[in-house]
Amino acid sequence: MRRSLGEVSAGLARLGRRVTVMLLALFALVARPALAEAPSRAQAIADAITELDVERARKLLEQADAGSVTLAFERARLAIYLGDCDTAAAILAAPDFSSTPEGSGLLELAQSCARATAGSVTIQDEKAGVWLRLQDEADRVLSPFIIQVAVEARQQIEKDLGVHLPRPLRIDLVRDLFSLSAVSGLPVTAAETTGTVAVARWGRVTIISPRATPLGYPWEDTMAHEIAHLALSRATRDRAPLWLQEGVAKREETRWRKPRPFDAMPSHDAVARTALMTGRSVGVDKLGPSIAMLPSPDAAATAFAEVTSFVQYWISENGDAGLQLLLADLKGIGGEDPNAAMRSVSGYDLSGWILRWQHWLLASSNPAPADGPHVALAPGARIEDVTRQVRLGDLLFERGHSARAAEQLGPASRSVPTEAALRFRASRALLDSGAAEDAKTVLGKTDDVRSVHGGWQALYGRFRSETGDRGSAERAFRLGVAVDPLAEDVACEGYWTPRGKATGKIRLPDDARRRALCQAIRQRSQD
Amino acid sequence: MAVTELIDRLASAWRQRVGTASRQALFVLFLLTICGGAHLARVGTLPARIGTLALVLVGGVALIWRWRAEHRTFSDVSRTLARVLLPSDRQLGERTLRAVRLLGRTEHDRSIGSAELARAHFERLLSRASVEAVEHAADRRASRWRVAMLLLLGGIVASFAVGPMRVIEGLDVLVARKGIAPLPLAWLDYMSVKAEPPAYLRMSERNLIPGLGASLPEGTLLTVRGIPRRDGRRLILTDGRQEVPFVADGSGGVVARWTVEESSELKVAARFGGVLIEELDPITLRSVADSTPVVELQGAPKTLLLKEVESIEVQYEATDDHGLRQIDLVLRAGDREDRRTLARLDGESTFEQGAHVLAPRDPWLRRMYLPVLVSVEARDNDPVRGPKWGTSEPITLVPPVLGEPEAARIAGLGRARDEVADFLAWQMEEAKGKETRAPGATERDRARRAVDALRKALDKSYGGLTVPNGLRAFYLGQAQVLERPLKAGESRVRRTEDVLLAIDVALRSLSTRDAATVSKRLADVVEEVANGAKQARETEKRAIGLARLDSAFSAARSSALQLSKLGMLGADLGSVAVADLGRVSRSRQAEDLFHAELAARHLAARLRRPNPSFGGGRRGGVESGPPSAKGAPTGEPSDANDRFDELAAELERLVREHGDEIGKVEQNLAEAEQGVSLESLRDEAKERADALRQALSGLPPTSHVPGSARSAAALGREHGGAMAQGLERLSLGDAVQSGRDALSALDSAEKKANRGSLRGDWLDDADLASARKEVRKQLTWAEEKLAQLKRRAEERGSEAMRGSGEREHKLSRRAGNLASRGKHGETALPEDAVESLDKAEGIMREAARALSEGKGERGLELQREAQRLLERSSTGQTGDDEDQPPNDRNRSTPRGEGGREIRTGGDIPEPGDGKNAEEFRRRVLEGLGKTKDGRFGPAVKRYAEGLLR
């Protein structure tokens, strides 16, 4: 085949360009100044750490100058990301760091983290790709549940956000808010004010044990929420604005599992709409440094509802692909302002989308939340009487006077018929006194109550199980464990140790994991 | 004459003369060497002694050499002839010696000549030798030796003339071994030894006889005096190790002082360089050390469990051979120590006994978690070796596990609450449909059982911990409600419910407070764990650090379990503590002390912040889905305790304001009295004062016998004098009081004088009678004038009194109102408190009336009585601490040390009134203990303890 002159000259020109590029590249390789290398390498390491790519960061650090202060700081950061707070504290104890605000701040965190995690129990599940550190060894019994949730949630989040989270996923299960603060650096007073139970920071999920709260909390969804934060950090190099972080994390809380009762109660759209109409709106773009730093739990709840509603609206308008594009753009723009990415992906900036969302909210027919966060009293009932009856019922039940307890708790549950906790108490007392049918009636059905309660779910599961509806029973038991796994009623599938002088058979669950949980709880109460 | 015989005669003639003279001269030379050497040796230094010895040796060697040389000379013919003939006839001698040599050669060599001819030649020459000539030459030689000997003898004499004892001393020094000369010498004439024991022993000085042993207290000062026998010697006093030089005493003698520190043999000696020549008789001393005080603690050693004792009585006896200075109560736990001075003494007493009561709730003991060793230590007054502490056997107090008393109290009160719950359950079943009917006998009996259980729980001590006063009063009020008759239309079930909830709420409140307190104290224990780990890791005292860590860890773990029993907060904090101690334990087992320390530090910081693990028990609101109002409605089911606290606070306010009102009335009366002029009485009062002093002058001014008639009379005289002074100053109130005291003392003196039991306790009856008469006379006058003064003052202050009366009336109405509320259900006060309040109200009304009528004195008297009752009725609040007495808040006067208020007034509880009596006892002790720094502080405390026991 012959080639034309034009083709030859074009080929020569291409060759010439290639040679020029190669020469330039060679020059750059040979002549790049040593001083210019450190900042770029440090940035690369910092980015790798931020993106949770600890292996890459480690390799880069191994190749770098060991004496560099900047890189030493990154080594400390990496150690914290790996959960090795001792090493971080040792690196940061050098005078180079302790005299700077960043260094001393990180040193303080490393030291408090080292104290809070010293002697902890670590469980590494290679197959699941989960690294779990338990501050309280008694929580070991929860580890199978936690690992399962982590794996399932991670899988879904990776799919939704188009990002792969490096293995292992690191989780710190701490015993209380004080330790949560020590490990994460979140001020303990702020955590107490807003009721923070988990933080995704330093490449780890730090979450409070359900043991810390008297009635548990939805720890499974919280875990998914925090994993979503980690995934967002990786996907955007931690450049996602707070509303996007929280909105997406809220969205991912429940997507990893099948829908459950009370998932949309109250509806985020309804709460956001009501807040907008009543002037209690926090504002999607006015969240401050963190929702955990908002002044009250109510403000935090409103903020969550608003960002969740907004993000769901945005995704409904732009699709999942739009979300993934937005994340990629955010990672690429290299700045804090998300408007450029928003405009490029969706045609509007944030203000535009907020206006569109608000119009949509106001135009929608979402009803206001039925009863808000407060208890819904039956006509004529008084909250003081309910409080009184509940306490008397509890005292009588604990003494083994189940029938008398039921006499107190029955009126209380009728006064607040949607309150699952009261229905559970009354039903349990009746069941304990031998009135099984009355107990089932008083407990009611899922539609009768307005919120999830571990004990209620367990007792409901027990009743369903007794009728042979094993599927419903299992769902109820799982939901109970998802909320309050360390309550005896819940872990033992609606059975409890007899109170007072009463005796009875103590049944153990058939499910192996719940049986272990039930046995551990009973053993601990005996100790 | 044979040749041989002739030679012998010649030799003998020479030796007899020269040999003797020369030997004598050489011997004298040797002696001179010794004497001269003695002077050199006396210097005492090693070179001097070696030099001397060398001289003497050289002399001796020379003598021997001389003897051997003589012997050799006279055993050889030619040497003998040379020695003998040459000095007398040189020519003949030389020819004779040649003949001897020729003779010798011919005997060996015949070629030289005939031996016989040579012999004949020799004999012929020898025969020419003259014995006389030899004797003459020998005499000349001997004379020269004698001259030399005389010169040497002169040297010897000269050496002795310098000082004969110097030669002896020198020789003594020369032959000394180990620095001590073998021959003791007398150094002092008229030697005396005085022993002066230390001043603190208050013993007189004594003389000692050298050579005889003596026992002396340690620290005794010995003074050795004497007149030196020879001047120029460096005399010392030594025990073989130390030396004290003798110095001139200014009167021709020498003196040395020696402080006895241990048993020894003192010697006077003279020092010559490195050698001592000692005196013949030593002073043998046996030092008697001041012994350590002996302290006996009654019952010790023994071990007590703190939770099982109400109080720890520490009765001790301390003895010392010379005197005691201080007695301390010492508490030790681990490396912590607390010293409390029980007595400071003057150092003269050799025996002290006393007692101290230690309360299990003592703040120091409460902080301890390791066994506490309680001992009494006594310090003596030894200034010689410094004060020594004697320690008694210890009483070991095993503290309850930290938090155990609190847990036991919560459990005890919880059981009482359960009894009420059981009663309610029974009542709900029995009284269904007939709730407003009066309870039957069975129900009353069951109610009584519940109340008894409650009262029992309230009266019980839980490892020294009792129920705080305010809470106790609240519970007693609730118990009263349970037993009182039903009001019209009242539901008895509802009433029991109210009581149960009230008890429950107060109990939960107590458990929360206890949990917070125990948590903070546990933090200290956990900090100790951390410190132990740090010590083991960072210092060389690893074993100590580990022991510290392990013991603190064990205590912390037990305490954490007890903390778990203190209600919801306790369960939460306890669970946190158990979890974190698990981390410490794992690290410890792995010998990873660094992480053990870190985990402990984290836990200590957590426990010092005794908040619930999660925001006051709320449910997660952030990062966890929507917050929900899960669980029961919030809020307390009973506010009975709040209402009770309001009532108690009002009562405390009333007590305070009523106290202030009393102060105002007192001030008004005082001002009114000051406004009444007494100037018209001044002259008369002065005359009366003079008359009184005159009458008292016959009484004894002082008495040294306490309890005697003279002592009482002296006291009467003192009071009488004070009365006279009061009269002079027109201070009639003081004068009257002093007069009454004086009269009382003089009456007592008369009685004692009549008994006459004490020797020398005599009084002049006439003087006594005269004094009594005069005191009585002046007292009557003063009382009369004082009454007039008060009447006039009341008239002057009637307006102010009426104002006080109105205020008192208002206060009485408030008291009545509080009493009425105290009888009502949820704010029920204990029966005795209501009773006191009722009585107080009545008396306050009377006081108000008296004040309104201008009767200030009477009104004030009634007010004071009412105040006592009000204070008795004040209960304190349910949130008060156990150690916080009622009315401890916002009281105005008077104030004690550190701004803390002192409660005044009040009645003395009966001995059988267990808890009140104990509290009263404690208050009295605390009050008396305020003067502990004073001279009589310990004595007052001991006295008070004795009285109260």
Side-chain angles (χ1 to χ4, degrees):
Chain A
M1 190 169 72
R2 293 178 63 194
R3 289 188 293 179
S4 67
L5 186 61
E7 284 175 325
V8 171
S9 63
L12 285 172
R14 277 200 300 274
L15 182 65
R17 279 201 299 275
R18 279 181 192 165
V19 169
T20 308
V21 168
M22 283 173 69
L23 285 172
L24 282 172
L26 188 64
F27 175 78
L29 198 68
V30 172
R32 63 179 180 178
L35 287 175
E37 180 193 16
S40 61
R41 185 176 287 270
Q43 189 57 52
I45 293 166
D47 288 346
I49 294 170
T50 305
E51 290 170 31
L52 315 183
D53 199 346
V54 290
E55 282 309 316
R56 187 167 146 253
R58 199 180 346 231
K59 279 178 190 158
L60 286 170
L61 278 167
E62 280 169 6
Q63 294 161 6
D65 172 20
S68 161
V69 173
T70 312
L71 296 186
F73 186 81
E74 293 304 331
R75 267 207 306 280
R77 264 187 79 216
L78 176 63
I80 293 176
Y81 269 68
L82 292 169
D84 182 4
C85 299
D86 291 337
T87 300
I91 295 169
L92 294 165
D96 285 340
F97 300 113
S98 55
S99 57
T100 64
E102 298 82 7
S104 62
L106 200 60
L107 172 63
E108 201 176 321
L109 168 79
Q111 287 174 335
S112 65
C113 167
R115 284 193 293 268
T117 55
S120 294
V121 174
T122 305
I123 298 168
Q124 183 140 15
D125 189 331
E126 298 281 355
K127 192 177 163 195
V130 174
W131 176 93
L132 177 62
R133 184 160 58 184
L134 307 171
Q135 198 184 28
D136 187 349
E137 195 180 11
D139 285 335
R140 191 189 283 272
V141 74
L142 286 175
S143 61
F145 298 91
I146 293 171
I147 290 170
Q148 185 190 356
V149 171
V151 169
E152 290 176 12
R154 181 176 59 194
Q155 193 176 354
Q156 180 64 39
I157 291 163
E158 285 177 339
K159 185 180 156 202
D160 286 350
L161 304 186
V163 65
H164 173 78
L165 277 168
R167 271 53 169 176
L169 172 66
R170 290 186 167 79
I171 301 167
D172 264 320
L173 186 68
V174 295
R175 180 58 186 78
D176 53 11
L177 273 183
F178 187 78
S179 300
L180 178 80
S181 167
V183 173
S184 68
L186 180 70
V188 68
T189 45
E192 281 177 345
T193 305
T194 52
T196 304
V197 287
V199 173
R201 211 172 172 191
W202 310 112
R204 284 173 284 140
V205 171
T206 306
I207 185 166
I208 284 187
S209 165
R211 197 182 297 281
T213 58
L215 297 166
Y217 71 96
W219 63 272
E220 290 187 346
D221 293 352
T222 304
M223 181 81 71
H225 181 111
E226 301 306 331
I227 293 169
H229 279 310
L230 291 184
L232 279 165
S233 290
R234 179 167 172 76
T236 66
R237 200 173 283 163
D238 211 14
R239 286 177 185 144
L242 188 55
W243 61 265
L244 183 63
Q245 280 271 3
E246 296 302 343
V248 171
K250 287 300 290 182
R251 181 173 180 256
E252 294 299 331
E253 274 182 10
T254 54
R255 287 173 62 81
W256 63 277
R257 56 167 170 78
K258 288 178 183 166
R260 286 175 181 166
F262 316 109
D263 268 356
M265 286 182 68
S267 152
H268 299 303
D269 296 338
V271 172
R273 184 172 183 267
T274 307
L276 188 62
M277 293 173 74
T278 56
R280 287 188 288 110
S281 170
V282 175
V284 169
D285 53 350
K286 296 183 180 62
L287 298 177
S290 164
I291 289 185
M293 309 283 266
L294 286 172
S296 69
D298 282 347
T302 304
F304 269 121
E306 286 179 339
V307 295
T308 310
S309 172
F310 176 74
V311 168
Q312 277 174 347
Y313 170 76
W314 193 92
I315 294 173
S316 69
E317 294 291 308
N318 297 285
D320 279 345
L323 175 64
Q324 290 179 12
L325 262 178
L326 177 64
L327 299 182
D329 260 18
L330 282 170
K331 184 177 180 178
I333 57 174
E336 294 297 318
D337 182 16
N339 281 315
M342 290 279 281
R343 264 194 303 271
S344 116
V345 171
S346 62
Y348 294 96
D349 63 5
L350 179 61
S351 310
W353 277 109
I354 289 173
L355 275 174
R356 286 170 65 89
W357 166 67
Q358 286 175 341
H359 282 300
W360 173 80
L361 267 185
L362 293 171
S364 68
S365 57
N366 278 318
D371 43 26
H374 307 291
V375 290
L377 285 169
R382 295 193 320 146
I383 192 69
E384 296 81 6
D385 293 337
V386 175
T387 309
R388 177 188 172 89
Q389 287 157 346
V390 167
R391 186 59 193 157
L392 285 168
D394 284 350
L395 285 169
L396 290 166
F397 181 78
E398 288 301 321
R399 290 297 294 160
H401 307 299
S402 311
R404 305 287 85 76
E407 287 176 30
Q408 296 283 353
L409 293 167
S413 70
R414 287 194 291 276
S415 295
V416 197
T418 57
E419 193 58 53
L422 299 185
R423 280 180 178 268
F424 159 70
R425 279 180 160 96
S427 177
R428 184 179 60 167
L430 284 167
L431 190 60
D432 204 54
S433 65
E437 287 308 312
D438 290 344
K440 287 176 189 167
T441 309
V442 166
L443 190 71
K445 298 198 173 81
T446 306
D447 295 342
D448 296 332
V449 294
R450 69 182 188 104
S451 61
V452 64
H453 178 268
W456 190 97
Q457 293 296 336
L459 205 49
Y460 183 73
R462 173 178 168 178
F463 291 153
R464 301 312 303 163
S465 177
E466 284 169 359
T467 58
D469 184 358
R470 199 55 215 170
S472 298
E474 185 58 29
R475 281 194 294 278
F477 290 145
R478 280 207 64 176
L479 183 52
V481 169
V483 175
D484 196 3
L486 295 166
E488 186 196 7
D489 311 299
V490 178
C492 302
E493 296 184 350
Y495 289 86
W496 54 86
T497 308
R499 307 297 207 273
K501 294 170 187 167
T503 54
K505 189 181 170 190
I506 302 176
R507 191 181 174 282
L508 285 171
D510 294 332
D511 177 81
R513 292 190 310 174
R514 282 199 293 274
R515 185 164 60 243
L517 196 58
C518 174
Q519 283 172 324
I521 292 165
R522 284 182 175 153
Q523 181 62 45
R524 194 171 167 91
S525 66
Q526 281 171 11
D527 292 345
Chain B
M1 190 184 320
V3 172
T4 307
E5 188 183 348
L6 179 60
I7 291 172
D8 287 343
R9 283 185 57 194
L10 289 174
S12 175
W14 181 265
R15 290 178 72 178
Q16 275 178 356
R17 286 162 180 80
V18 177
T20 304
S22 67
R23 276 198 303 274
Q24 285 171 345
L26 287 173
F27 182 71
V28 171
L29 175 65
F30 179 67
L31 286 179
L32 181 61
T33 309
I34 290 173
C35 293
H39 283 277
L40 180 62
R42 198 169 164 278
V43 174
T45 60
L46 193 63
R49 288 173 66 201
I50 290 172
T52 306
L53 202 61
L55 275 176
V56 173
L57 283 174
V58 167
V61 169
L63 276 178
I64 294 166
W65 175 80
R66 166 78 188 173
W67 175 79
R68 283 178 60 84
E70 287 291 299
H71 180 73
R72 201 175 56 196
T73 300
F74 289 102
S75 57
D76 182 74
V77 173
S78 57
R79 283 197 190 106
T80 303
L81 291 176
R83 171 70 60 86
V84 174
L85 289 182
L86 286 178
S88 58
D89 183 352
R90 191 164 192 87
Q91 194 178 6
L92 178 63
E94 288 172 352
R95 288 179 63 192
T96 307
L97 286 173
R98 281 197 296 272
V100 170
R101 284 196 291 274
L102 181 65
L103 181 63
R105 284 206 302 273
T106 56
E107 281 177 357
H108 296 291
D109 186 4
R110 290 260 173 202
S111 63
I112 295 171
S114 165
E116 287 75 17
L117 280 177
R119 180 173 298 275
H121 175 68
F122 167 65
E123 287 174 356
R124 201 168 45 248
L125 283 174
L126 187 61
S127 63
R128 286 167 59 187
S130 162
V131 174
E132 286 75 19
V134 169
E135 286 174 348
H136 183 71
D139 284 340
R140 284 200 311 272
R141 180 68 61 88
S143 296
R144 285 202 294 272
W145 279 113
R146 285 190 195 97
V147 170
M149 184 183 72
L150 285 174
L151 288 173
L152 291 170
L153 275 173
I156 290 172
V157 171
S159 73
F160 274 91
V162 172
M165 285 308 292
R166 297 175 78 93
V167 176
I168 294 168
E169 290 162 1
L171 293 175
D172 208 4
V173 169
L174 184 64
V175 295
R177 276 193 69 205
K178 295 181 180 174
I180 304 292
L183 180 68
L185 296 173
W187 297 110
L188 291 176
D189 283 334
Y190 310 110
M191 189 166 86
S192 73
V193 183
K194 277 188 181 173
E196 183 186 349
Y200 80 99
L201 298 181
R202 296 172 296 281
M203 291 165 69
S204 57
E205 67 176 26
R206 56 184 276 210
N207 288 314
L208 305 182
I209 300 170
L212 297 178
S215 295
L216 297 172
E218 199 173 74
T220 297
L221 181 67
L222 285 184
T223 306
V224 182
R225 288 174 188 281
I227 297 172
R229 287 194 169 189
R230 291 170 289 280
D231 291 334
R233 271 61 173 179
R234 194 173 147 217
L235 297 183
I236 57 161
L237 191 61
T238 179
D239 64 348
R241 283 183 294 171
Q242 296 177 42
E243 295 175 2
V244 173
F246 277 87
V247 293
D249 65 358
S251 57
V254 288
V255 62
R257 290 185 172 82
W258 182 274
T259 302
V260 177
E261 289 176 356
E262 58 186 85
S263 296
S264 59
E265 202 168 61
L266 284 187
K267 286 181 178 166
V268 176
R271 176 159 285 289
F272 297 90
V275 177
L276 282 181
I277 302 179
E278 295 173 342
E279 176 83 48
L280 277 171
D281 293 328
I283 306 165
T284 306
L285 300 174
R286 194 172 68 80
S287 171
V288 181
D290 187 344
S291 56
T292 303
V294 177
V295 188
E296 285 186 13
L297 187 57
Q298 197 178 69
K302 66 179 172 183
T303 300
L304 299 174
L305 297 178
L306 260 185
K307 65 181 176 186
E308 290 177 2
V309 293
E310 295 291 324
S311 65
I312 303 110
E313 296 193 358
V314 181
Q315 289 189 29
Y316 61 89
E317 287 182 1
T319 51
D320 187 56
D321 48 356
H322 297 307
L324 295 160
R325 273 274 174 211
Q326 187 175 332
I327 299 176
D328 282 3
L329 177 70
V330 184
L331 312 177
R332 286 194 188 89
D335 59 348
R336 297 178 189 203
E337 182 183 287
D338 186 38
R339 281 184 170 271
R340 300 170 188 185
T341 300
L342 297 176
R344 289 188 196 282
L345 305 162
D346 54 9
E348 293 187 7
S349 168
T350 56
F351 176 75
E352 276 293 319
Q353 61 180 349
H356 182 81
V357 176
L358 203 55
R361 302 294 300 160
D362 182 281
W364 197 86
L365 289 180
R366 282 179 69 182
R367 285 201 303 274
M368 289 305 113
Y369 52 89
L370 294 175
V372 178
L373 300 180
V374 179
S375 60
V376 174
E377 295 190 359
R379 182 166 66 98
D380 69 6
N381 58 351
D382 182 358
V384 178
R385 293 212 165 183
K388 297 182 291 296
W389 286 95
T391 306
S392 71
E393 290 281 343
I395 295 175
T396 305
L397 302 178
V398 180
V401 173
L402 198 153
E404 191 180 3
E406 285 83 357
R409 181 168 70 179
I410 293 296
L413 292 173
R415 281 192 293 276
R417 179 195 61 187
D418 291 344
E419 287 284 337
V420 179
D422 291 346
F423 172 59
L424 172 64
W426 179 88
Q427 205 178 32
M428 285 171 72
E429 194 168 2
E430 290 299 310
K432 212 168 274 179
K434 41 189 178 178
E435 290 169 356
T436 54
R437 281 192 202 166
T442 311
E443 188 171 333
R444 284 201 300 276
D445 186 48
R446 280 182 169 267
R448 191 160 45 250
R449 269 166 30 204
V451 167
D452 286 347
L454 189 57
R455 289 204 170 116
K456 201 173 158 191
L458 292 175
D459 288 339
K460 202 173 165 191
S461 169
Y462 304 91
L465 189 69
T466 55
V467 178
N469 287 325
L471 186 65
R472 178 184 155 82
F474 173 70
Y475 274 176
L476 286 175
Q478 294 301 322
Q480 216 167 289
V481 171
L482 215 51
E483 282 193 310
R484 74 172 182 211
L486 274 183
K487 293 177 192 165
E490 188 181 19
S491 162
R492 55 185 201 267
V493 173
R494 175 85 186 185
R495 187 176 71 176
T496 308
E497 287 176 0
D498 288 342
V499 169
L500 175 59
L501 289 173
I503 289 172
D504 178 57
V505 167
L507 179 60
R508 282 190 289 150
S509 174
L510 176 68
S511 67
T512 302
R513 286 199 306 276
D514 280 350
T517 310
V518 170
S519 172
K520 287 178 183 169
R521 283 161 51 204
L522 178 55
D524 291 341
V525 184
V526 176
E527 196 73 53
E528 177 71 5
V529 172
N531 291 338
K534 186 179 169 71
Q535 186 181 18
R537 191 166 59 81
E538 292 183 355
T539 71
E540 292 171 357
K541 299 175 181 173
R542 183 179 169 83
I544 295 173
L546 287 178
R548 214 172 142 191
L549 186 161
D550 291 339
S551 60
F553 178 83
S554 170
R557 188 164 171 76
S558 307
S559 299
L561 296 175
Q562 296 300 324
L563 177 60
S564 305
K565 298 174 184 170
L566 296 175
M568 273 186 73
L569 180 61
D572 183 20
L573 294 172
S575 158
V576 170
V578 168
D580 276 354
L581 287 171
R583 294 198 288 134
V584 174
S585 172
R586 279 193 292 281
S587 302
R588 167 74 178 95
Q589 281 167 12
E591 293 284 318
D592 179 3
L593 298 179
F594 174 65
H595 285 112
E597 182 195 342
L598 288 184
R601 298 245 184 258
H602 175 83
L603 177 59
R606 169 69 181 97
L607 292 171
R608 289 208 172 91
R609 200 171 186 282
N611 292 349
S613 288
F614 182 75
R618 280 201 327 270
R619 211 178 160 203
V622 174
E623 315 284 322
S624 62
S628 65
K630 186 183 171 185
T634 54
E636 290 296 353
S638 169
D639 60 354
N641 57 331
D642 293 338
R643 288 199 217 167
F644 177 87
D645 287 345
E646 279 172 26
L647 181 70
E650 280 185 50
L651 188 50
E652 284 168 15
R653 206 159 41 243
L654 176 66
V655 171
R656 198 169 58 247
E657 288 176 19
H658 191 257
D660 292 345
E661 190 55 43
I662 290 173
K664 282 180 195 164
V665 171
E666 285 171 340
Q667 192 182 355
N668 287 339
L669 281 174
E671 284 172 1
E673 281 180 17
Q674 282 170 2
V676 177
S677 173
L678 296 172
E679 282 307 310
S680 58
L681 298 174
R682 185 170 295 280
D683 292 342
E684 185 183 354
K686 177 143 187 11
E687 284 170 18
R688 287 176 179 276
D690 291 342
L692 184 57
R693 286 197 185 98
Q694 182 64 34
L696 293 169
S697 62
L699 297 178
T702 54
S703 168
H704 296 295
V705 187
S708 64
R710 288 179 67 80
S711 165
L715 185 64
R717 180 176 168 155
E718 288 296 330
H719 283 307
M723 182 187 182
Q725 199 172 34
L727 288 173
E728 268 181 348
R729 292 181 180 177
L730 292 174
S731 178
L732 294 177
D734 294 339
V736 165
Q737 186 57 51
S738 296
R740 286 173 184 159
D741 293 341
L743 211 52
S744 167
L746 294 177
D747 287 346
S748 169
E750 187 183 27
K751 282 179 197 162
K752 287 176 179 172
N754 290 339
R755 279 205 299 272
S757 55
L758 290 171
R759 207 174 147 189
D761 189 21
W762 54 270
L763 272 176
D764 188 328
D765 289 345
D767 286 346
L768 185 60
S770 160
R772 285 178 66 199
K773 187 181 169 190
E774 190 62 28
V775 169
R776 190 170 286 121
K777 180 183 164 188
Q778 303 308 341
L779 178 60
T780 308
W781 181 83
E783 282 174 339
E784 188 184 315
K785 295 298 171 192
L786 182 64
Q788 283 175 9
L789 170 69
K790 286 191 181 297
R791 275 198 300 278
R792 283 160 63 190
E794 280 183 354
E795 284 165 17
R796 278 180 66 87
S798 60
E799 192 59 35
M801 289 300 128
R802 268 194 288 281
S804 290
E806 282 173 23
R807 287 194 294 276
E808 184 72 12
H809 188 64
K810 283 180 189 166
L811 291 172
S812 75
R813 280 213 300 271
R814 275 171 61 186
N817 177 270
L818 289 173
S820 163
R821 285 165 59 193
K823 291 173 195 166
H824 176 260
E826 286 200 342
T827 51
L829 289 173
E831 202 172 348
D832 54 347
V834 173
E835 198 180 315
S836 297
L837 208 48
D838 273 337
K839 278 187 194 167
E841 184 210 353
I843 294 169
M844 286 163 79
R845 274 206 302 271
E846 267 187 66
R849 210 161 30 244
L851 290 170
S852 299
E853 290 168 1
K855 297 173 182 169
E857 287 295 326
R858 172 68 183 151
L860 184 60
E861 194 181 322
L862 289 166
Q863 275 184 311
R864 284 178 178 148
E865 192 179 340
Q867 182 70 10
R868 276 197 294 276
L869 289 165
L870 285 177
E871 285 181 1
R872 193 195 289 181
S873 68
S874 185
T875 57
Q877 299 182 16
T878 57
D880 287 351
D881 291 337
E882 187 208 8
D883 298 329
Q884 188 176 0
N887 301 329
D888 200 35
R889 291 175 292 275
N890 306 321
R891 225 174 292 112
S892 55
T893 56
R895 285 186 174 275
E897 283 175 25
R900 278 184 64 87
E901 298 160 356
I902 301 166
R903 194 176 183 189
T904 56
D907 296 333
I908 298 173
E910 294 297 319
D913 189 1
K915 190 181 174 191
N916 288 336
E918 179 61 28
E919 279 179 4
F920 174 76
R921 182 172 178 277
R922 199 179 66 225
R923 284 204 305 276
V924 171
L925 279 176
E926 281 173 3
L928 290 167
K930 300 274 192 257
T931 58
K932 61 187 173 190
D933 294 334
R935 187 176 159 207
F936 298 111
V940 169
K941 195 162 187 179
R942 286 199 302 279
Y943 171 69
E945 284 171 353
L947 278 182
L948 291 163
R949 192 167 296 113

